[in-house]
PDB file of all heavy atoms in Angstrom:
ATOM      1  N   ARG A 290       0.137  -9.136  10.543  1.00 91.00           N
ATOM      2  CA  ARG A 290      -1.151  -8.949  11.225  1.00 91.00           C
ATOM      3  C   ARG A 290      -2.329  -9.223  10.278  1.00 91.00           C
ATOM      4  O   ARG A 290      -3.324  -9.809  10.669  1.00 91.00           O
ATOM      5  CB  ARG A 290      -1.238  -7.533  11.785  1.00 91.00           C
ATOM      6  CG  ARG A 290      -2.538  -7.246  12.522  1.00 91.00           C
ATOM      7  CD  ARG A 290      -2.528  -5.876  13.174  1.00 91.00           C
ATOM      8  NE  ARG A 290      -1.482  -5.753  14.159  1.00 91.00           N
ATOM      9  CZ  ARG A 290      -1.550  -6.227  15.405  1.00 91.00           C
ATOM     10  NH1 ARG A 290      -2.630  -6.852  15.792  1.00 91.00           N
ATOM     11  NH2 ARG A 290      -0.551  -6.083  16.230  1.00 91.00           N
ATOM     12  N   GLU A 291      -2.204  -8.810   9.032  1.00 92.00           N
ATOM     13  CA  GLU A 291      -3.281  -9.014   8.059  1.00 92.00           C
ATOM     14  C   GLU A 291      -3.577 -10.509   7.870  1.00 92.00           C
ATOM     15  O   GLU A 291      -4.731 -10.922   7.828  1.00 92.00           O
ATOM     16  CB  GLU A 291      -2.910  -8.380   6.721  1.00 92.00           C
ATOM     17  CG  GLU A 291      -3.997  -8.488   5.670  1.00 92.00           C
ATOM     18  CD  GLU A 291      -3.553  -7.852   4.360  1.00 92.00           C
ATOM     19  OE1 GLU A 291      -2.791  -6.872   4.369  1.00 92.00           O
ATOM     20  OE2 GLU A 291      -3.996  -8.364   3.305  1.00 92.00           O
ATOM     21  N   ALA A 292      -2.548 -11.321   7.769  1.00 92.00           N
ATOM     22  CA  ALA A 292      -2.737 -12.766   7.622  1.00 92.00           C
ATOM     23  C   ALA A 292      -3.389 -13.347   8.873  1.00 92.00           C
ATOM     24  O   ALA A 292      -4.257 -14.225   8.792  1.00 92.00           O
ATOM     25  CB  ALA A 292      -1.400 -13.453   7.352  1.00 92.00           C
ATOM     26  N   ALA A 293      -2.981 -12.847  10.041  1.00 93.00           N
ATOM     27  CA  ALA A 293      -3.576 -13.316  11.294  1.00 93.00           C
ATOM     28  C   ALA A 293      -5.058 -12.960  11.353  1.00 93.00           C
ATOM     29  O   ALA A 293      -5.902 -13.782  11.754  1.00 93.00           O
ATOM     30  CB  ALA A 293      -2.834 -12.715  12.484  1.00 93.00           C
ATOM     31  N   GLU A 294      -5.406 -11.751  10.929  1.00 94.00           N
ATOM     32  CA  GLU A 294      -6.819 -11.337  10.920  1.00 94.00           C
ATOM     33  C   GLU A 294      -7.627 -12.181   9.945  1.00 94.00           C
ATOM     34  O   GLU A 294      -8.774 -12.544  10.222  1.00 94.00           O
ATOM     35  CB  GLU A 294      -6.923  -9.853  10.569  1.00 94.00           C
ATOM     36  CG  GLU A 294      -6.438  -8.948  11.678  1.00 94.00           C
ATOM     37  CD  GLU A 294      -6.374  -7.487  11.274  1.00 94.00           C
ATOM     38  OE1 GLU A 294      -6.651  -7.139  10.095  1.00 94.00           O
ATOM     39  OE2 GLU A 294      -6.014  -6.660  12.145  1.00 94.00           O
ATOM     40  N   THR A 295      -7.037 -12.502   8.798  1.00 94.00           N
ATOM     41  CA  THR A 295      -7.719 -13.338   7.819  1.00 94.00           C
ATOM     42  C   THR A 295      -8.011 -14.715   8.398  1.00 94.00           C
ATOM     43  O   THR A 295      -9.124 -15.227   8.273  1.00 94.00           O
ATOM     44  CB  THR A 295      -6.856 -13.483   6.542  1.00 94.00           C
ATOM     45  OG1 THR A 295      -6.674 -12.187   5.969  1.00 94.00           O
ATOM     46  CG2 THR A 295      -7.506 -14.400   5.531  1.00 94.00           C
ATOM     47  N   LEU A 296      -7.033 -15.299   9.052  1.00 94.00           N
ATOM     48  CA  LEU A 296      -7.236 -16.610   9.657  1.00 94.00           C
ATOM     49  C   LEU A 296      -8.254 -16.522  10.791  1.00 94.00           C
ATOM     50  O   LEU A 296      -9.155 -17.347  10.893  1.00 94.00           O
ATOM     51  CB  LEU A 296      -5.917 -17.179  10.187  1.00 94.00           C
ATOM     52  CG  LEU A 296      -6.025 -18.626  10.651  1.00 94.00           C
ATOM     53  CD1 LEU A 296      -4.819 -19.405  10.186  1.00 94.00           C
ATOM     54  CD2 LEU A 296      -6.171 -18.719  12.138  1.00 94.00           C
ATOM     55  N   TRP A 297      -8.145 -15.517  11.633  1.00 95.00           N
ATOM     56  CA  TRP A 297      -9.025 -15.350  12.785  1.00 95.00           C
ATOM     57  C   TRP A 297     -10.482 -15.239  12.353  1.00 95.00           C
ATOM     58  O   TRP A 297     -11.346 -15.945  12.854  1.00 95.00           O
ATOM     59  CB  TRP A 297      -8.607 -14.100  13.566  1.00 95.00           C
ATOM     60  CG  TRP A 297      -9.420 -13.847  14.795  1.00 95.00           C
ATOM     61  CD1 TRP A 297     -10.473 -12.988  14.929  1.00 95.00           C
ATOM     62  CD2 TRP A 297      -9.245 -14.472  16.070  1.00 95.00           C
ATOM     63  NE1 TRP A 297     -10.955 -13.034  16.205  1.00 95.00           N
ATOM     64  CE2 TRP A 297     -10.215 -13.937  16.920  1.00 95.00           C
ATOM     65  CE3 TRP A 297      -8.364 -15.416  16.554  1.00 95.00           C
ATOM     66  CZ2 TRP A 297     -10.328 -14.322  18.270  1.00 95.00           C
ATOM     67  CZ3 TRP A 297      -8.464 -15.802  17.887  1.00 95.00           C
ATOM     68  CH2 TRP A 297      -9.443 -15.265  18.715  1.00 95.00           C
ATOM     69  N   SER A 298     -10.743 -14.374  11.402  1.00 92.00           N
ATOM     70  CA  SER A 298     -12.127 -14.137  10.993  1.00 92.00           C
ATOM     71  C   SER A 298     -12.616 -15.137   9.960  1.00 92.00           C
ATOM     72  O   SER A 298     -13.808 -15.199   9.691  1.00 92.00           O
ATOM     73  CB  SER A 298     -12.276 -12.717  10.454  1.00 92.00           C
ATOM     74  OG  SER A 298     -11.458 -12.541   9.316  1.00 92.00           O
ATOM     75  N   GLY A 299     -11.722 -15.950   9.420  1.00 86.00           N
ATOM     76  CA  GLY A 299     -12.106 -16.948   8.425  1.00 86.00           C
ATOM     77  C   GLY A 299     -12.471 -18.285   9.029  1.00 86.00           C
ATOM     78  O   GLY A 299     -12.531 -19.287   8.322  1.00 86.00           O
ATOM     79  N   GLY A 300     -12.675 -18.322  10.330  1.00 68.00           N
ATOM     80  CA  GLY A 300     -13.077 -19.559  10.976  1.00 68.00           C
ATOM     81  C   GLY A 300     -11.979 -20.613  10.983  1.00 68.00           C
ATOM     82  O   GLY A 300     -12.252 -21.800  11.010  1.00 68.00           O
ATOM     83  N   GLY A 301     -10.736 -20.190  10.931  1.00 59.00           N
ATOM     84  CA  GLY A 301      -9.632 -21.136  11.000  1.00 59.00           C
ATOM     85  C   GLY A 301      -9.018 -21.468   9.662  1.00 59.00           C
ATOM     86  O   GLY A 301      -8.040 -22.199   9.597  1.00 59.00           O
ATOM     87  N   LYS A 302      -9.596 -20.945   8.584  1.00 60.00           N
ATOM     88  CA  LYS A 302      -8.990 -21.181   7.272  1.00 60.00           C
ATOM     89  C   LYS A 302      -7.701 -20.393   7.185  1.00 60.00           C
ATOM     90  O   LYS A 302      -7.680 -19.182   7.391  1.00 60.00           O
ATOM     91  CB  LYS A 302      -9.930 -20.734   6.152  1.00 60.00           C
ATOM     92  CG  LYS A 302     -11.036 -21.678   5.861  1.00 60.00           C
ATOM     93  CD  LYS A 302     -11.768 -21.214   4.616  1.00 60.00           C
ATOM     94  CE  LYS A 302     -12.610 -22.331   4.068  1.00 60.00           C
ATOM     95  NZ  LYS A 302     -13.277 -21.922   2.843  1.00 60.00           N
ATOM     96  N   ALA A 303      -6.647 -21.104   6.894  1.00 59.00           N
ATOM     97  CA  ALA A 303      -5.347 -20.451   6.797  1.00 59.00           C
ATOM     98  C   ALA A 303      -5.288 -19.592   5.544  1.00 59.00           C
ATOM     99  O   ALA A 303      -5.892 -19.922   4.528  1.00 59.00           O
ATOM    100  CB  ALA A 303      -4.243 -21.502   6.760  1.00 59.00           C
ATOM    101  N   PRO A 304      -4.557 -18.484   5.613  1.00 54.00           N
ATOM    102  CA  PRO A 304      -4.374 -17.686   4.404  1.00 54.00           C
ATOM    103  C   PRO A 304      -3.643 -18.513   3.361  1.00 54.00           C
ATOM    104  O   PRO A 304      -2.913 -19.443   3.700  1.00 54.00           O
ATOM    105  CB  PRO A 304      -3.513 -16.514   4.870  1.00 54.00           C
ATOM    106  CG  PRO A 304      -3.307 -16.664   6.325  1.00 54.00           C
ATOM    107  CD  PRO A 304      -3.879 -17.963   6.763  1.00 54.00           C
ATOM    108  N   ALA A 305      -3.858 -18.189   2.128  1.00 55.00           N
ATOM    109  CA  ALA A 305      -3.176 -18.913   1.052  1.00 55.00           C
ATOM    110  C   ALA A 305      -1.677 -18.812   1.258  1.00 55.00           C
ATOM    111  O   ALA A 305      -1.173 -17.761   1.638  1.00 55.00           O
ATOM    112  CB  ALA A 305      -3.561 -18.316  -0.295  1.00 55.00           C
ATOM    113  N   PRO A 306      -0.970 -19.917   1.021  1.00 54.00           N
ATOM    114  CA  PRO A 306       0.489 -19.855   1.178  1.00 54.00           C
ATOM    115  C   PRO A 306       1.061 -18.801   0.260  1.00 54.00           C
ATOM    116  O   PRO A 306       0.570 -18.596  -0.842  1.00 54.00           O
ATOM    117  CB  PRO A 306       0.951 -21.248   0.750  1.00 54.00           C
ATOM    118  CG  PRO A 306      -0.253 -22.098   0.739  1.00 54.00           C
ATOM    119  CD  PRO A 306      -1.428 -21.199   0.570  1.00 54.00           C
ATOM    120  N   VAL A 307       2.067 -18.144   0.736  1.00 52.00           N
ATOM    121  CA  VAL A 307       2.707 -17.126  -0.082  1.00 52.00           C
ATOM    122  C   VAL A 307       4.136 -17.539  -0.366  1.00 52.00           C
ATOM    123  O   VAL A 307       4.789 -18.171   0.445  1.00 52.00           O
ATOM    124  CB  VAL A 307       2.686 -15.735   0.599  1.00 52.00           C
ATOM    125  CG1 VAL A 307       1.282 -15.201   0.702  1.00 52.00           C
ATOM    126  CG2 VAL A 307       3.337 -15.765   1.960  1.00 52.00           C
ATOM    127  N   ASN A 308       4.573 -17.187  -1.541  1.00 51.00           N
ATOM    128  CA  ASN A 308       5.956 -17.492  -1.878  1.00 51.00           C
ATOM    129  C   ASN A 308       6.855 -16.352  -1.421  1.00 51.00           C
ATOM    130  O   ASN A 308       6.396 -15.352  -0.883  1.00 51.00           O
ATOM    131  CB  ASN A 308       6.097 -17.768  -3.383  1.00 51.00           C
ATOM    132  CG  ASN A 308       5.701 -16.570  -4.218  1.00 51.00           C
ATOM    133  OD1 ASN A 308       5.856 -15.437  -3.811  1.00 51.00           O
ATOM    134  ND2 ASN A 308       5.173 -16.830  -5.393  1.00 51.00           N
ATOM    135  N   ARG A 309       8.131 -16.505  -1.626  1.00 52.00           N
ATOM    136  CA  ARG A 309       9.104 -15.520  -1.145  1.00 52.00           C
ATOM    137  C   ARG A 309       8.814 -14.134  -1.706  1.00 52.00           C
ATOM    138  O   ARG A 309       8.869 -13.144  -0.989  1.00 52.00           O
ATOM    139  CB  ARG A 309      10.507 -15.961  -1.526  1.00 52.00           C
ATOM    140  CG  ARG A 309      11.568 -15.020  -1.019  1.00 52.00           C
ATOM    141  CD  ARG A 309      12.921 -15.494  -1.406  1.00 52.00           C
ATOM    142  NE  ARG A 309      13.141 -16.804  -0.836  1.00 52.00           N
ATOM    143  CZ  ARG A 309      14.309 -17.277  -0.491  1.00 52.00           C
ATOM    144  NH1 ARG A 309      15.371 -16.550  -0.680  1.00 52.00           N
ATOM    145  NH2 ARG A 309      14.433 -18.465   0.017  1.00 52.00           N
ATOM    146  N   ALA A 310       8.473 -14.042  -2.984  1.00 55.00           N
ATOM    147  CA  ALA A 310       8.205 -12.734  -3.590  1.00 55.00           C
ATOM    148  C   ALA A 310       6.983 -12.082  -2.951  1.00 55.00           C
ATOM    149  O   ALA A 310       6.984 -10.877  -2.701  1.00 55.00           O
ATOM    150  CB  ALA A 310       8.004 -12.887  -5.098  1.00 55.00           C
ATOM    151  N   ASP A 311       5.945 -12.892  -2.665  1.00 55.00           N
ATOM    152  CA  ASP A 311       4.762 -12.343  -2.012  1.00 55.00           C
ATOM    153  C   ASP A 311       5.093 -11.839  -0.612  1.00 55.00           C
ATOM    154  O   ASP A 311       4.619 -10.788  -0.194  1.00 55.00           O
ATOM    155  CB  ASP A 311       3.644 -13.381  -1.930  1.00 55.00           C
ATOM    156  CG  ASP A 311       3.028 -13.699  -3.276  1.00 55.00           C
ATOM    157  OD1 ASP A 311       3.159 -12.868  -4.212  1.00 55.00           O
ATOM    158  OD2 ASP A 311       2.409 -14.775  -3.407  1.00 55.00           O
ATOM    159  N   ARG A 312       5.904 -12.614   0.142  1.00 51.00           N
ATOM    160  CA  ARG A 312       6.287 -12.175   1.488  1.00 51.00           C
ATOM    161  C   ARG A 312       7.066 -10.868   1.415  1.00 51.00           C
ATOM    162  O   ARG A 312       6.855  -9.971   2.211  1.00 51.00           O
ATOM    163  CB  ARG A 312       7.124 -13.245   2.184  1.00 51.00           C
ATOM    164  CG  ARG A 312       6.309 -14.371   2.751  1.00 51.00           C
ATOM    165  CD  ARG A 312       7.115 -15.211   3.718  1.00 51.00           C
ATOM    166  NE  ARG A 312       8.347 -15.723   3.191  1.00 51.00           N
ATOM    167  CZ  ARG A 312       8.510 -16.918   2.632  1.00 51.00           C
ATOM    168  NH1 ARG A 312       7.497 -17.735   2.507  1.00 51.00           N
ATOM    169  NH2 ARG A 312       9.682 -17.305   2.194  1.00 51.00           N
ATOM    170  N   ARG A 313       7.978 -10.764   0.432  1.00 54.00           N
ATOM    171  CA  ARG A 313       8.751  -9.541   0.297  1.00 54.00           C
ATOM    172  C   ARG A 313       7.855  -8.375  -0.074  1.00 54.00           C
ATOM    173  O   ARG A 313       8.029  -7.269   0.421  1.00 54.00           O
ATOM    174  CB  ARG A 313       9.857  -9.735  -0.731  1.00 54.00           C
ATOM    175  CG  ARG A 313      10.948 -10.641  -0.184  1.00 54.00           C
ATOM    176  CD  ARG A 313      12.004 -10.979  -1.190  1.00 54.00           C
ATOM    177  NE  ARG A 313      12.517  -9.806  -1.879  1.00 54.00           N
ATOM    178  CZ  ARG A 313      13.113  -9.858  -3.046  1.00 54.00           C
ATOM    179  NH1 ARG A 313      13.291 -11.000  -3.660  1.00 54.00           N
ATOM    180  NH2 ARG A 313      13.559  -8.766  -3.617  1.00 54.00           N
ATOM    181  N   ALA A 314       6.876  -8.621  -0.941  1.00 58.00           N
ATOM    182  CA  ALA A 314       5.962  -7.551  -1.336  1.00 58.00           C
ATOM    183  C   ALA A 314       5.134  -7.092  -0.144  1.00 58.00           C
ATOM    184  O   ALA A 314       4.912  -5.900   0.046  1.00 58.00           O
ATOM    185  CB  ALA A 314       5.059  -8.027  -2.469  1.00 58.00           C
ATOM    186  N   ARG A 315       4.682  -8.054   0.691  1.00 53.00           N
ATOM    187  CA  ARG A 315       3.900  -7.695   1.874  1.00 53.00           C
ATOM    188  C   ARG A 315       4.711  -6.853   2.836  1.00 53.00           C
ATOM    189  O   ARG A 315       4.203  -5.973   3.491  1.00 53.00           O
ATOM    190  CB  ARG A 315       3.442  -8.944   2.615  1.00 53.00           C
ATOM    191  CG  ARG A 315       2.172  -9.520   2.117  1.00 53.00           C
ATOM    192  CD  ARG A 315       1.744 -10.619   3.041  1.00 53.00           C
ATOM    193  NE  ARG A 315       0.400 -11.013   2.704  1.00 53.00           N
ATOM    194  CZ  ARG A 315      -0.225 -12.007   3.265  1.00 53.00           C
ATOM    195  NH1 ARG A 315       0.363 -12.722   4.200  1.00 53.00           N
ATOM    196  NH2 ARG A 315      -1.442 -12.306   2.919  1.00 53.00           N
ATOM    197  N   SER A 316       5.996  -7.166   2.943  1.00 52.00           N
ATOM    198  CA  SER A 316       6.836  -6.437   3.887  1.00 52.00           C
ATOM    199  C   SER A 316       7.359  -5.131   3.294  1.00 52.00           C
ATOM    200  O   SER A 316       8.004  -4.366   3.977  1.00 52.00           O
ATOM    201  CB  SER A 316       8.014  -7.305   4.333  1.00 52.00           C
ATOM    202  OG  SER A 316       8.921  -7.464   3.272  1.00 52.00           O
ATOM    203  N   GLY A 317       7.088  -4.908   2.004  1.00 54.00           N
ATOM    204  CA  GLY A 317       7.564  -3.694   1.355  1.00 54.00           C
ATOM    205  C   GLY A 317       8.998  -3.796   0.884  1.00 54.00           C
ATOM    206  O   GLY A 317       9.578  -2.824   0.448  1.00 54.00           O
ATOM    207  N   ALA A 318       9.575  -4.989   0.964  1.00 49.00           N
ATOM    208  CA  ALA A 318      10.975  -5.153   0.582  1.00 49.00           C
ATOM    209  C   ALA A 318      11.162  -5.316  -0.910  1.00 49.00           C
ATOM    210  O   ALA A 318      12.256  -5.137  -1.418  1.00 49.00           O
ATOM    211  CB  ALA A 318      11.569  -6.371   1.296  1.00 49.00           C
ATOM    212  N   ALA A 319      10.118  -5.670  -1.619  1.00 45.00           N
ATOM    213  CA  ALA A 319      10.261  -5.899  -3.054  1.00 45.00           C
ATOM    214  C   ALA A 319      10.277  -4.577  -3.799  1.00 45.00           C
ATOM    215  O   ALA A 319       9.596  -3.633  -3.447  1.00 45.00           O
ATOM    216  CB  ALA A 319       9.110  -6.767  -3.558  1.00 45.00           C
ATOM    217  N   ASN A 320      11.042  -4.518  -4.847  1.00 44.00           N
ATOM    218  CA  ASN A 320      11.089  -3.353  -5.700  1.00 44.00           C
ATOM    219  C   ASN A 320       9.963  -3.494  -6.714  1.00 44.00           C
ATOM    220  O   ASN A 320       9.912  -4.454  -7.453  1.00 44.00           O
ATOM    221  CB  ASN A 320      12.459  -3.284  -6.382  1.00 44.00           C
ATOM    222  CG  ASN A 320      12.592  -2.062  -7.249  1.00 44.00           C
ATOM    223  OD1 ASN A 320      11.634  -1.319  -7.430  1.00 44.00           O
ATOM    224  ND2 ASN A 320      13.780  -1.848  -7.778  1.00 44.00           N
ATOM    225  N   SER A 321       9.055  -2.535  -6.744  1.00 43.00           N
ATOM    226  CA  SER A 321       7.888  -2.684  -7.605  1.00 43.00           C
ATOM    227  C   SER A 321       8.157  -2.317  -9.051  1.00 43.00           C
ATOM    228  O   SER A 321       7.318  -2.530  -9.897  1.00 43.00           O
ATOM    229  CB  SER A 321       6.734  -1.840  -7.061  1.00 43.00           C
ATOM    230  OG  SER A 321       7.101  -0.478  -7.070  1.00 43.00           O
ATOM    231  N   THR A 322       9.307  -1.738  -9.333  1.00 43.00           N
ATOM    232  CA  THR A 322       9.599  -1.400 -10.720  1.00 43.00           C
ATOM    233  C   THR A 322      10.577  -2.408 -11.293  1.00 43.00           C
ATOM    234  O   THR A 322      11.487  -2.859 -10.630  1.00 43.00           O
ATOM    235  CB  THR A 322      10.196   0.021 -10.828  1.00 43.00           C
ATOM    236  OG1 THR A 322      11.377   0.080 -10.050  1.00 43.00           O
ATOM    237  CG2 THR A 322       9.207   1.066 -10.363  1.00 43.00           C
ATOM    238  N   ARG A 323      10.333  -2.746 -12.546  1.00 42.00           N
ATOM    239  CA  ARG A 323      11.209  -3.702 -13.221  1.00 42.00           C
ATOM    240  C   ARG A 323      12.209  -2.949 -14.065  1.00 42.00           C
ATOM    241  O   ARG A 323      11.985  -1.814 -14.471  1.00 42.00           O
ATOM    242  CB  ARG A 323      10.380  -4.626 -14.119  1.00 42.00           C
ATOM    243  CG  ARG A 323       9.493  -5.541 -13.327  1.00 42.00           C
ATOM    244  CD  ARG A 323       8.901  -6.582 -14.223  1.00 42.00           C
ATOM    245  NE  ARG A 323       8.104  -5.989 -15.285  1.00 42.00           N
ATOM    246  CZ  ARG A 323       6.865  -6.321 -15.558  1.00 42.00           C
ATOM    247  NH1 ARG A 323       6.271  -7.251 -14.875  1.00 42.00           N
ATOM    248  NH2 ARG A 323       6.216  -5.756 -16.537  1.00 42.00           N
ATOM    249  N   ASN A 324      13.289  -3.610 -14.362  1.00 43.00           N
ATOM    250  CA  ASN A 324      14.266  -3.029 -15.263  1.00 43.00           C
ATOM    251  C   ASN A 324      13.683  -2.966 -16.659  1.00 43.00           C
ATOM    252  O   ASN A 324      12.904  -3.827 -17.050  1.00 43.00           O
ATOM    253  CB  ASN A 324      15.538  -3.893 -15.296  1.00 43.00           C
ATOM    254  CG  ASN A 324      16.281  -3.830 -13.996  1.00 43.00           C
ATOM    255  OD1 ASN A 324      16.199  -2.832 -13.287  1.00 43.00           O
ATOM    256  ND2 ASN A 324      17.001  -4.887 -13.677  1.00 43.00           N
ATOM    257  N   PRO A 325      14.057  -1.978 -17.440  1.00 44.00           N
ATOM    258  CA  PRO A 325      13.556  -1.919 -18.813  1.00 44.00           C
ATOM    259  C   PRO A 325      13.929  -3.200 -19.555  1.00 44.00           C
ATOM    260  O   PRO A 325      15.006  -3.734 -19.395  1.00 44.00           O
ATOM    261  CB  PRO A 325      14.282  -0.709 -19.414  1.00 44.00           C
ATOM    262  CG  PRO A 325      14.732   0.101 -18.247  1.00 44.00           C
ATOM    263  CD  PRO A 325      14.922  -0.868 -17.116  1.00 44.00           C
ATOM    264  N   GLY A 326      13.007  -3.674 -20.336  1.00 46.00           N
ATOM    265  CA  GLY A 326      13.253  -4.873 -21.125  1.00 46.00           C
ATOM    266  C   GLY A 326      13.024  -6.150 -20.347  1.00 46.00           C
ATOM    267  O   GLY A 326      13.148  -7.239 -20.880  1.00 46.00           O
ATOM    268  N   SER A 327      12.668  -6.034 -19.093  1.00 41.00           N
ATOM    269  CA  SER A 327      12.428  -7.213 -18.272  1.00 41.00           C
ATOM    270  C   SER A 327      10.967  -7.585 -18.364  1.00 41.00           C
ATOM    271  O   SER A 327      10.098  -6.725 -18.396  1.00 41.00           O
ATOM    272  CB  SER A 327      12.778  -6.899 -16.816  1.00 41.00           C
ATOM    273  OG  SER A 327      12.377  -7.946 -15.983  1.00 41.00           O
ATOM    274  N   SER A 328      10.698  -8.880 -18.410  1.00 44.00           N
ATOM    275  CA  SER A 328       9.293  -9.295 -18.383  1.00 44.00           C
ATOM    276  C   SER A 328       8.916  -9.527 -16.945  1.00 44.00           C
ATOM    277  O   SER A 328       8.696  -8.610 -16.192  1.00 44.00           O
ATOM    278  CB  SER A 328       9.080 -10.525 -19.259  1.00 44.00           C
ATOM    279  OG  SER A 328       9.912 -11.590 -18.819  1.00 44.00           O
ATOM    280  N   SER A 329       8.904 -10.756 -16.494  1.00 42.00           N
ATOM    281  CA  SER A 329       8.502 -11.039 -15.126  1.00 42.00           C
ATOM    282  C   SER A 329       9.675 -11.020 -14.166  1.00 42.00           C
ATOM    283  O   SER A 329       9.500 -11.081 -12.970  1.00 42.00           O
ATOM    284  CB  SER A 329       7.839 -12.407 -15.056  1.00 42.00           C
ATOM    285  OG  SER A 329       8.803 -13.410 -15.326  1.00 42.00           O
ATOM    286  N   GLY A 330      10.860 -10.994 -14.681  1.00 45.00           N
ATOM    287  CA  GLY A 330      12.025 -11.043 -13.818  1.00 45.00           C
ATOM    288  C   GLY A 330      12.536 -12.450 -13.610  1.00 45.00           C
ATOM    289  O   GLY A 330      13.588 -12.660 -13.073  1.00 45.00           O
TER     290      GLY A 330
END
């Protein structure tokens, strides 16, 4: 819904493309904590 609202109120500008990790983060599926010793994963 947030992406739809952004497009709607942005005069037709599409939201920036998101990669798989961004989509997972938006849906709450991504684990926000990293394993110790991990940099970016």
Side-chain angles (χ1 to χ4, degrees):
R290 180 175 299 280
E291 183 181 328
E294 289 173 357
T295 298
L296 188 138
W297 182 262
S298 62
K302 282 188 163 182
V307 293
N308 61 31
R309 182 180 300 210
D311 290 339
R312 281 194 306 266
R313 288 175 49 202
R315 274 188 170 175
S316 71
N320 182 354
S321 62
T322 59
R323 292 190 300 233
N324 291 332
S327 172
S328 58
S329 67

